[in-house]
Amino acid sequence: MIEGLPALYIFMLSAFTGYEVISRVPVILHTPLMSGSNFVHGIVLVGAMIVMGGAEGTLQLTIGFIAVAMAAGNAVGGYVATVRMLEMFQTKPKKEEGASS
Amino acid sequence: MSFIGFVIDAVYFLTAAVFIIGLKQMSSPVTAHRGIVWAGIAMVVASLATFGAPQVTLDIGNINLQLMLVAIIVGSSVAYISAKRVAMTDMPQMIAMYNGMGGGAAAAIAAVELVKLSAGGESHGLTIQVLAVLGAVIGAISFSGSAVAFAKLQGIMKKTLRLPLHQVINIGLFIAVCVFGYLVATSHSVSFEHVIIFFVLALILGVMVTLPIGGADMPVVISLFNALTGLAVAFEGFVLNNAAMIIAGTVVGSSGTLLTQLMAKAMNRPISNVLFSSFGSDGGAAAEEEVEGSMKEIQANDAAIMMAYGQKVIIVPGYGMAVAQAQHKLKEMGDLLEARGIDVKYAIHPVAGRMPGHMNVLLAEAGVDYDNILDLEEINPEFPTADVALVIGANDVVNPVARSNPDSPIYGMPILDADHAQNVIVIKRGKGAGFSGIENHLFYADNTQMLYGDGKKAVADLITGIKQL
């Protein structure tokens, strides 16, 4: 069980990590990045699956079902959207074979 | 701890690490694609590992497992198809929708835990209960708020609705959410009714907070909800004691907050302003001054000549370009000009479009070289050396009032100095004021000429004009 101060440490260090990682991203990638971080919190799928696995009775099962379906949508939608955006930036290096930048 | 339990925890830990590396790689156009693919693989592995978790009964006859698989298939396929089909211009609202789903999932996780408690389940302590409730509020607000943002950007909901005493109602709602949240979080035997009321109130609050916000501020709001969802996921991660959720959620929470700040700063609108007031409602219109000069119209052929015989053309795209889907035509025109030896640059304001980088994505889609796409700071010194600044579908981001008139609502916002170019051509659909309703003095300037018409058609006319030369 992660509790008390260690939990706070993890929270704080993760927060700094997020701040640092993003602060070096050029404006050109902001939208793909927002989409990418949107995908990353799709990890909620793992939690939704755990909760649904332990659900008892119709009500809990129904809410669990909604949780898993939405979380899966978050993860898959976020991934596809991000990849589609980033694919547009991919063809460029080929074009610049002669003139390296 | 069992061996399987150890393996699963290790997978979660590695997943979180790969997510961070993936986000890091997304900071460069060269490695960005690899970054998201890595993160995607980590997500798949983490999800598969979860089937081995002690809470999940890995028996195909188990109803929970059957329904879980159905839920995964339904959620994934709906999202997959919609994400594949949507046009690039509509991406912002899709991100809002997927983000809302994540927030909803986090809230739903909390709901199951709280319902369990109300059914007499064993409490895991006050801290856990409080965190569950916090995650629930944030997730629910993010869910219903994102739904409103989606509806607005998609054009389903056109008006910005402001009830009389809107802020007072919101504060009342907020207090009510706090009260019921407190009741649910601190009680030993959670009342089922309280849980229901708590969630309904939180959902309504999300809607009420987002309703009065205008479309121009939506990027900031979507980014804020993105950060909030991350936070909600992190809180539910504490509840479920899941390292991957805690770390990934917090990283998104903090990076999203930074991104939101960057955006709000670029618009010169404090986040509190975005959330609690709408454009023009704070007496800004009263300070409207008379505009000197008049708008001069130009024909496409003349505009084409002006550009084709210049040395340097800077194109300033805005949301209007996205609406008109003119990016491909624009690229075609840029290529023609470049073939004539003209230096063509694209100037992107940080908040042009509906999200930061929205314009970059559209131009990249059209195949524009990203070395020619420049930020505000990079391009502003170049405007005086440009023969023509072609403004297409942008308005507030090139309004010189932001520099000159302290009474203007957009005063202080960094703008693209298009007015410093030798000549300015503005492609615009009609004569009306822009999104914010503020008169644009650039349109009346001596060196500005207006090319009226739909963005795509106007650029097509320009192309025809250039080809004829």
Side-chain angles (χ1 to χ4, degrees), chain B residues 155-173:
Chain B
I156 300 168
M157 193 187 286
K158 289 242 166 64
K159 281 188 185 141
T160 46
L161 185 80
R162 278 181 80 82
L163 300 176
L165 297 175
H166 200 105
Q167 299 308 342
V168 179
I169 297 173
N170 279 4
I171 291 167
L173 264 173

Side-chain angles (χ1 to χ4, degrees), chain A residues 13-97:
Chain A
L13 291 174
S14 305
F16 275 119
T17 309
Y19 211 83
E20 280 303 308
V21 165
I22 297 302
S23 60
R24 288 186 186 83
V25 175
V27 176
I28 189 168
L29 286 175
H30 271 179
T31 295
L33 182 83
M34 188 198 289
S35 181
S37 62
N38 178 33
F39 162 71
V40 165
H41 66 55
I43 191 68
V44 70
L45 174 60
V46 166
M49 287 170 67
I50 290 173
V51 160
M52 191 178 176
E56 292 155 8
T58 317
L59 180 64
Q60 289 181 23
L61 206 52
T62 311
I63 306 174
F65 185 89
I66 296 170
V68 173
M70 286 205 292
N74 181 188
V76 173
Y79 182 80
V80 176
T82 312
V83 166
R84 270 189 65 189
M85 275 186 242
L86 289 176
E87 267 170 359
M88 293 166 197
F89 293 90
Q90 256 205 325
T91 50
K92 298 304 180 297
K94 276 182 239 155
K95 210 178 108 191
E96 287 173 50
E97 265 169 347

Side-chain angles (χ1 to χ4, degrees), chain B residues 130-144:
Chain B
V130 170
L131 285 170
V133 165
L134 275 177
V137 178
I138 299 170
I141 289 177
S142 174
F143 171 72
S144 58

Side-chain angles (χ1 to χ4, degrees), chain B residues 393-414:
Chain B
N395 193 339
D396 292 328
V397 297
V398 290
N399 193 345
V401 166
R403 282 197 312 258
S404 60
N405 183 358
D407 295 329
S408 172
I410 58 167
Y411 179 72
M413 178 173 95

